[in-house]
Amino acid sequence: MSIPDVADLTLEEKASLTSGVSFWHTKPVERVGVPAVMVTDGPHGLRKQREGGDHLGIGDSVPATCFPPAVGLGSSWDVDLVRRVGEALGTETSIENVAVLLGPGINIKRSPLCGRNFEYLSEDPIVSGVLGAAIVQGIQSKGVGTSLKHFAANNQENDRMRSSSDVDPRPLREIYLRGFQRVVEDAQPWTVMCSYNRINGVYASEDPWLLTRVLRDEWGFEGLVVSDWGAVNERVPGLAAGMDLEMPSSNGVTDAQIVAAVQDGSLDESVVDVAAGRVLDLVRKATAGAGAVAGPLDVDAHHALAREAAGRSIVLLKNDGAVLPLAKDAKIAVIGEFAEKPRYQGAGSSMINPTRVDTALDEIRSLATGDVAYAQGFSNALEVSDDEASALRDEAVGAASVADVAVLFLGLPARLESEGYDRDDIDLPPAQLALVDAVRAANQNTVVVLSNGGVVALPFAEHVPAILETWLLGQAGGGGTADVLFGEVNPSAKLTETIPVRLEDTPAFLDFPGEFSHTRYGEGLFVGYRWYDARRLEVVFPFGHGLSYTTFSYTDAAAQVDADGDVEVTVAVTNTGDRAGREVVQVYTSLAGSSVQCAPRELKAFASVALEPGESQVVTLTVRRQDLAYWDIRADRWVVEGGEYTIDVAASSRDIRSSAAVAVEGDVLTLPLSRTSSMGEVLSHPVAGPVVQAAIAQMMGGLGDSAASIMPEGVDMSKMMESFPIGRIGMMGALAGDGAAAGPEMIDGLLAMANAGGAPQQ
């Protein structure tokens, strides 16, 4: 099918392409043969709704594989696994003749209270960007598109349709935009979805700085910007800003506004041409990719992949005394409603109608050869009487007391985590905490298995020997959990977010969710582990932490700068245990004495390495030069600071196994000088510095004994002068009795000479 060019369309037809025809379809232009194409929700499964279905329900969605949501899959830290899941998502999208799967979501987990954290990958932009790119590449390899979301600084659900994320330039660039930049530059998603919120007072849907200057001019984005559903504030300014496609349908209202704006001269028709052209490009890609994958869907194969991904997403937080893996012939008490009624995905637009659902209880029984008893332990119902709660707890204690091991399934009820609102706290329900104490008292061999979409406090962490963080694992999570419990799968996942001791310790505690539709990002750069490390705060489990049923050793790391300016880091990793396993090798960097504020260390690269017992492998990781850069607010650009960087190779952000040093050449940054430039800035300038140094010496000599009379012994005059504006140096000349020595004309001449790059006059 040949798709016409913009020039073949009337103004009205071009305007019509910039909004949807329905909830899930773009508008056709039948006169010239432009078809409608379908987009639909993801991101961890296909949520294709049948005609007439409720867009927020799942009852009318076609069955699809529900893979682990991002909170789980991200914990794998495995680019290959994530890409394979993306390929499966692309396959199902193609089979159902859907053009674009709306995902992945890569927003930063600024606060554990965000109700939508289960859809996001990490508190770190490198993890989010690298894994986000892998998902996009996997999906788009099947001839369908993705929609990278939610762009940008969309880190809470409270007041999400209008709240302003008030964030300074450095954290905005280095934390909240960096992951998006990585995905755009590495994977070129077909679309980017702008978010509901405002950024520093400007709606994302009508922000030319965000949607054109940054996204297109700086990052080279080639695709289409689509609004989140209902995110358009004012359509004409949004179109001019670079927001191409409004979804869902406006019933033609905003199309007419665009036409009227062109006709009255307030909007140039070329703007409409650009947006309509991008929609046509999307339609071309969709029609070219249509039918790339033939059905029917291999349901069993995709369920098997979902089970593999689930097992690889489970974090072994603790395993004192090697309680895990369980012996298959052990007498096991399985306790907790989640074992029988799993919580495997979050609520809201990402809810998938799964092809089937495994329960942990059934899968444990299928693998066990010994007796497996079950007790509900607690109820997730809204109303539970004290007597009912007590009876459930007593039944659980009875089962635990006669078992070799108690496996206790705890977690957050679905109603506590959802798109559309945030959590009030990070606590497990009181009935579950009481159950932990009671079961632990009855059986010291208690394994806690957690089901939750966001971080929860773990007041019992020191008192139970083993904890599995299973997050939300998708439809095969029950099988994946059983595989890890019995050692069929050796756990290899690691935390992509810190588990704090208290909510009060978290970085955004005093600034979440904000007030009067403004949220101040007062923690700045110090999000997640950066905050806890900088403040030396105790945590329950650190970012990057995760245990295995085997052990790993690291040799001394080495680092060198390659021809492209990237840092190549090598380290040999050995499996020192008796079973095959995977280790996630992490590389963090720091620069002592940096001229800008920065965290003690920052993640810059990682790799998942599979090793047989006794096997060693030399792992090479690349730290991209651009990832060493900070955003210089004076120059409004990225700058790599020169110096000797420390390269930490680690098993977590607080488990450094080996370190190396490497000298990195910095970027040349010469800022124009002005009268408000400090003496320190002027003295460091290659042209102006020597001249000013001589002038200061002359002034100080002129002051003579008067300098000693006003400066106590030991005072460092040079430090005092560092922040002194050069334009006010004349007062020092006046004190010396030589006002002409540093008069305005001399200063202005010096500044002009320095800014022109000239040599000082002799």
Side-chain angles (χ1 to χ4, degrees), residues 249-332:
S249 171
S250 71
N251 294 316
V253 172
T254 56
D255 302 348
Q257 292 173 355
I258 292 169
V259 171
V262 172
Q263 291 174 341
D264 69 18
S266 59
L267 179 69
D268 195 291
E269 188 170 354
S270 64
V271 174
V272 186
D273 292 346
V274 169
R278 290 169 182 160
V279 177
L280 291 174
D281 286 342
L282 177 66
V283 175
R284 289 189 188 96
K285 291 177 183 176
T287 54
V293 181
L297 172 65
D298 189 338
V299 173
D300 291 340
H302 279 210
H303 187 77
L305 176 58
R307 182 166 181 156
E308 178 190 354
R312 295 277 301 282
S313 299
I314 295 171
V315 185
L316 178 60
L317 295 177
K318 184 179 181 182
N319 192 25
D320 290 355
V323 174
L324 293 175
L326 301 176
K328 290 187 177 180
D329 61 355
K331 187 174 184 180
I332 302 169

Side-chain angles (χ1 to χ4, degrees), residues 185-398:
E185 292 180 344
D186 284 9
Q188 279 293 340
W190 285 13
T191 76
V192 167
M193 183 188 294
C194 73
S195 53
Y196 291 118
N197 56 289
R198 295 176 293 155
I199 301 171
N200 295 322
V202 181
Y203 279 101
S205 63
E206 53 192 56
D207 189 344
W209 174 85
L210 181 72
L211 302 182
T212 296
R213 176 183 158 184
V214 172
L215 179 61
R216 296 189 182 280
D217 298 343
E218 294 183 17
W219 301 351
F221 177 59
E222 299 170 356
L224 172 150
V225 175
V226 60
S227 73
D228 202 343
W229 269 232
V232 170
N233 179 53
E234 295 288 346
R235 185 65 186 109
V236 173
L239 192 75
M243 209 286 289
D244 306 302
L245 175 61
E246 175 187 11
M247 290 297 288
S249 171
S250 71
N251 294 316
V253 172
T254 56
D255 302 348
Q257 292 173 355
I258 292 169
V259 171
V262 172
Q263 291 174 341
D264 69 18
S266 59
L267 179 69
D268 195 291
E269 188 170 354
S270 64
V271 174
V272 186
D273 292 346
V274 169
R278 290 169 182 160
V279 177
L280 291 174
D281 286 342
L282 177 66
V283 175
R284 289 189 188 96
K285 291 177 183 176
T287 54
V293 181
L297 172 65
D298 189 338
V299 173
D300 291 340
H302 279 210
H303 187 77
L305 176 58
R307 182 166 181 156
E308 178 190 354
R312 295 277 301 282
S313 299
I314 295 171
V315 185
L316 178 60
L317 295 177
K318 184 179 181 182
N319 192 25
D320 290 355
V323 174
L324 293 175
L326 301 176
K328 290 187 177 180
D329 61 355
K331 187 174 184 180
I332 302 169
V334 175
I335 299 168
E337 188 173 24
F338 291 114
E340 185 182 28
K341 298 177 181 177
R343 179 157 179 253
Y344 57 93
Q345 63 178 327
S349 62
S350 67
M351 289 186 70
I352 309 303
N353 184 15
T355 57
R356 63 176 181 261
V357 177
D358 294 343
T359 73
L361 180 59
D362 288 344
E363 297 300 324
I364 289 170
R365 283 175 168 161
S366 72
L367 291 177
T369 59
D371 180 60
V372 177
Y374 171 68
Q376 182 179 339
F378 60 87
S379 173
N380 282 320
L382 278 172
E383 299 291 336
V384 182
S385 69
D386 291 343
D387 289 344
E388 182 182 358
S390 180
L392 290 172
R393 188 164 54 248
D394 290 345
E395 179 192 15
V397 168

Side-chain angles (χ1 to χ4, degrees), residues 123 315-320 448 450 452 455-469 471 493-502 505-506 528-529 532-533 537-547 586 588 651-655:
E123 66 188 22
V315 185
L316 178 60
L317 295 177
K318 184 179 181 182
N319 192 25
D320 290 355
V448 171
L450 297 166
N452 45 292
V455 164
V456 293
L458 303 175
F460 49 80
E462 294 183 4
H463 307 300
V464 297
I467 304 174
L468 287 177
E469 176 55 270
W471 305 114
K494 302 211 174 195
L495 295 175
T496 61
E497 53 192 304
T498 307
I499 300 180
V501 176
R502 312 175 305 156
D505 294 338
T506 60
Y529 67 92
Y532 301 105
D533 289 352
L537 287 172
E538 180 184 354
V539 300
V540 181
F541 295 106
F543 175 86
H545 169 76
L547 304 177
Q586 302 158 48
Y588 297 81
S652 84
S653 62
R654 294 192 173 183
D655 184 3

